[in-house]
Every structure is written in structure tokens, then in C-alpha cells.
Amino acid sequence: MANGIRSTLEWLECSLCKAAFDVDEVQTLCDRCFGVLLPRYGLEEAARTLTRKALRDRECSMWRYRELLPWVNEPVTLVEGMTPLLPARFLGQSLGLDRLFIKDESRNPTGSFKARGMSTAVTMARDLGVRRLILPSAGNAGGAAAAYGALAGLSVELYLPVETPDPFRLEAAALGASVHLVDGSIADCGARVRAEAGERFDLSTLREPYRLEGKKTMGFELVEQFDWDLPEVVVYPTGGGTGLIGMWKAFDELERLDLIPAGKRPRMIAVQAERCAPIVKAFLEGRKRAEAWPEPVTYADGLRVPSAVGDYLILAAVRESGGVALTVSDQEMADSQLAMARGEGIFPAPEGGATLAALKKLVERDLVDRGERIVLFNTGTGLKYPRIPGLKLP
Ligand SMILES: Cc1ncc(COP(=O)(O)O)c(C=O)c1O
Ligand SMILES: [Zn+2]
């Protein structure tokens, strides 16, 4: 990549037993304890070139943070990231909040924040010699994997829940992926992938260590967009939790680089669907790990995740940040999806609607203050979901 700047990726660290793993070969979970592996960088080296000043002249994509991203030869990119942070004045006013923002991830390639993670994951897979990819998806990750796979010339095989709406299936097929439908949730899709992967490389959330790195750039961008400051509250729709864990990791790296002051991180709010809320349940019960949710039901496909391999990382980040985990019903999500669309002109995914529905509860419970900077994550476009409960197709 330009200017002789390289990735300072050095090794992978098991988030549980701290064992170290090599970045020169493909990796999955820790082979000793099944912990999630976290990429670690040479921060001293990164600090030499990744400065506030240097960033002013960098490209308008998440690859502007290239010292702290995983790549070897050249990123596989469709220009993802640097999504707008939009002031939500109307919604803010109606909730009595002065500084409400929406980070609009629907502007990414393939219409969701999943593009970020697939850009880094496919980059590393290709650079490490992988030719064939396989993954379970609720829809958005599949579309993104199909797109980046196509760009990199890798084959992509997807396992989607049979309930996945048509537009996701069409998108993946159009982009050349092979699509298999599974009677069950994304957990059942994951089990099928593990049974059938063979020689194919499994890109499942957090079982593959580099999707997280793309997602963490949402945290870097927030800091830049708030002019090297941090918002007080981040509201994030949590399925597998990669976005939330990634942003927490980003804040950690920026603190270590002295690019932000210590102790100023936002309260991280994890939002789940009322009928699929393993993380919220564990949060409320004071547990470190979550139990699998028996019958996950929600029209927000990205939140229909009954168990997350990174459950302990999500719970730790939420607690450390002083945040909370809470649920919203499908109807609350739908009403808020429309409120965001009609109030701010953004047609959000149901998951984006969920963040606004959760914010209403935070306001009611006095868990946010009027003057705080609050960021709702609209993680994807509403265009791929064919129904909104309560809204009739005209
Ligand atoms: C639109 C959307 N929002 C949120 C999520 C949940 O993402 P995470 O794994 O970061 O919790 C997904 C996952 O499929 C999604 O598609
Ligand atoms: Zn381990």
C-alpha cells in the first residue's frame, strides 16, 4: 500500500488463556481453550505514522487506519467505512436530548456494517492462500462475504436460515455465492458449516479472527468524527457482538497510542430482541457467560443469534464501560424503524430501529442525560427486509 506504510499486525492472543498464535497461517478459535483470538499490533511502530496529522490526508475509507488493520499484500476493498455521523435533531428534540447522532452504516458496500469485517477477513484469507470460503449468516454478512469473495476471486458458500428474506438470498446468488438454506437459526447454520467445511475456510463471526478488526474501525471513526473526543453513550444492536467488542478494542488501542485520554470511553449499550436475548439475560443475572437461547424469534434477522462465541467479551465490555444490556420487542423496533425513517430520512434495518427503541427506554429510566453525546448505530439498510410489523404495503 502507499507510502511504504505496512500493517503492524504481530500475533494473535487468546482472549481467555492468553496463548499466542502465529499470523502467518490461518487461525480459528484457541486450540487449547476455544477462546476468541484477538489480533495484536506493534503499537510503538504504528504510533510513528498513525498520527492525527497524517490521518487528515488519508483516504476516505476504513483503510485509513491501515497500520492497525490486518493485511499483507494489499487490502481487498470496495471503499468501506467512513460512514456519516448524522445529527438526529428531530428525534433528539422529541426525546429531550440535545446531542443525538446516528452512525449510518447502511452507506457501506452491500448496505451494512458487515462490509467492514469482510474486507479485512477476505484480505487475510486471500493473502494466506485460502481459495474457498464458507460461513453461516443471517443475511447481511453473507451478502458482504459474497461481494468481497467475488472481488478477490474466492468461492463463497453460505448457510442461511430458511426464514432469511429473499433480497439477501438474491444478492448473495447474484454475487456468485452458493446458497444453502437451513431449517433453524444461525446457530444451526453454524453447526452445518462446521460439519461440512472440509477444506473450506470458515469465516464464522469471531471463529475467524479478522472480521473483528474491520468492525473496530467504527470506533476509530467515532473518535475522529467527534474531533478526537469520545461520545458518552453508544447504543449498539447486538447479535454476535463483533461490532461492540471491536469498538471496545479500538478504544483500547487508541488509549495505548495516546490518541485519546484514558478513562473517557463511552457507556456501551447492548440491545437485543425480547424473544432472543441471551446477553441481556446473562447481564441481568450477573453472569460472565450466556446460556443459549432456546427458541429465538425476531424479524430482525441480525439479532436472531441464540448463542455468541464472544458472549464473555460482550458482557465484559458492557460492564467495564458502565453500560447496560436491554431488550426491545419486535413491535417497538418496528415503530422506531418508522420513527427514524420519518424523523430523520434514514430507512434503517430493524436492528437500527432497535437502538432507537432502546434509547426511549434509557430516557424513561433516566439512564442518559440531556446534554450527553449519544450515538445510535444503524447497522444496515432497511431495504433488504420485506416487512415491518404493523406497516401495510401500499
Ligand atoms: C443489520 C445488522 N445489525 C446488527 C447485527 C449484529 O451484529 P453483531 O455480530 O456485531 O452483534 C447484524 C448481524 O447479522 C446485522 O445484520
Ligand atoms: Zn486459549
Side-chain angles (χ1 to χ4, degrees), residues 78-81 105-115 144 148:
L78 291 163
V79 187
E80 45 293 311
E105 289 294 304
S106 70
R107 315 283 187 99
N108 275 301
T110 70
S112 88
F113 76 122
K114 299 281 181 183
Y148 288 90

Side-chain angles (χ1 to χ4, degrees), residues 52-381:
R52 293 183 190 194
K53 186 162 170 292
L55 280 166
R56 276 187 225 135
D57 301 322
R58 295 259 176 111
E59 72 254 55
C60 193
S61 94
M62 69 170 205
W63 287 97
R64 62 200 277 105
Y65 310 109
R66 54 194 179 236
E67 289 91 338
L68 296 183
L69 289 175
W71 55 283
V72 182
N73 301 324
E74 173 183 24
V76 177
T77 177
L78 291 163
V79 187
E80 45 293 311
M82 284 313 268
T83 54
L85 180 72
L86 299 164
R89 294 200 183 89
F90 175 81
L91 292 175
Q93 217 166 36
S94 63
L95 289 166
L97 300 168
D98 294 333
R99 296 196 285 174
L100 179 61
F101 299 87
I102 298 170
K103 178 84 168 146
D104 189 13
E105 289 294 304
S106 70
R107 315 283 187 99
N108 275 301
T110 70
S112 88
F113 76 122
K114 299 281 181 183
R116 295 175 185 265
M118 288 306 169
S119 177
T120 42
V122 173
T123 293
M124 283 306 277
R126 185 209 50 192
D127 283 352
L128 295 176
V130 169
R131 303 294 313 153
R132 299 166 73 197
L133 304 171
I134 185 167
L135 71 151
S137 166
N140 278 317
Y148 288 90
L151 180 62
L154 309 187
S155 77
V156 178
E157 213 156 310
L158 293 178
Y159 286 75
L160 308 178
V162 70
E163 287 170 35
T164 307
D166 289 353
F168 292 104
R169 292 150 64 171
L170 187 71
E171 177 188 36
L175 286 160
S178 335
V179 178
H180 306 266
L181 299 176
V182 176
D183 189 13
S185 75
I186 189 158
D188 303 300
C189 296
R192 279 285 297 282
V193 163
R194 283 186 287 288
E196 294 180 30
E199 294 297 298
R200 286 162 289 201
F201 183 59
D202 180 358
L203 279 187
S204 297
T205 302
L206 293 174
R207 287 176 189 273
E208 185 289 328
Y210 299 112
R211 283 173 66 180
L212 181 67
E213 298 303 287
K215 305 273 187 82
K216 86 180 173 189
T217 58
M218 296 190 292
F220 292 161
E221 287 173 23
L222 277 187
V223 170
E224 268 203 272
Q225 287 172 322
F226 281 107
D227 197 17
W228 297 96
D229 203 352
L230 287 152
E232 281 76 22
V233 180
V234 168
V235 189
Y236 186 80
T238 305
T242 351
L244 193 148
I245 300 165
M247 282 190 270
W248 199 243
K249 183 171 188 282
F251 301 144
D252 185 61
E253 289 172 356
L254 292 179
E255 275 180 16
R256 287 167 195 265
L257 286 165
D258 271 335
L259 284 169
I260 56 169
K264 283 201 69 183
R265 296 194 205 180
R267 307 200 290 287
M268 304 299 284
I269 312 295
V271 185
Q272 295 203 298
E274 206 169 72
R275 295 173 71 195
C276 181
I279 300 296
V280 178
K281 183 166 182 282
F283 177 80
L284 295 174
E285 290 171 354
R287 293 178 200 271
K288 286 194 178 145
R289 300 222 59 154
E291 289 165 38
W293 193 268
E295 277 181 54
V297 181
T298 171
Y299 83 109
D301 299 282
L303 300 185
R304 209 157 67 88
V305 180
S307 61
V309 268
D311 54 356
Y312 62 98
L313 295 170
I314 306 170
L315 287 159
V318 170
R319 290 193 176 111
E320 248 179 79
S321 76
V324 294
L326 77 171
T327 62
V328 297
S329 70
D330 272 17
Q331 196 54 58
E332 289 166 336
M333 234 185 269
D335 294 344
S336 291
Q337 218 184 334
L338 298 183
M340 191 182 284
R342 292 166 190 189
E344 303 296 343
I346 297 167
F347 179 26
E351 294 83 351
T355 63
L356 176 60
L359 178 61
K360 288 181 186 162
K361 297 188 177 188
L362 297 174
V363 170
E364 278 162 22
R365 294 179 201 166
D366 265 339
L367 289 173
V368 289
D369 290 333
R370 177 170 203 122
E372 288 187 316
R373 287 158 301 178
I374 301 169
V375 180
L376 304 179
F377 265 87
N378 175 36
T379 40
T381 174

Side-chain angles (χ1 to χ4, degrees), residues 14 16-17 30 32-33 35:
C14 173
L16 286 175
C17 76
C30 174
R32 298 168 210 184
C33 76

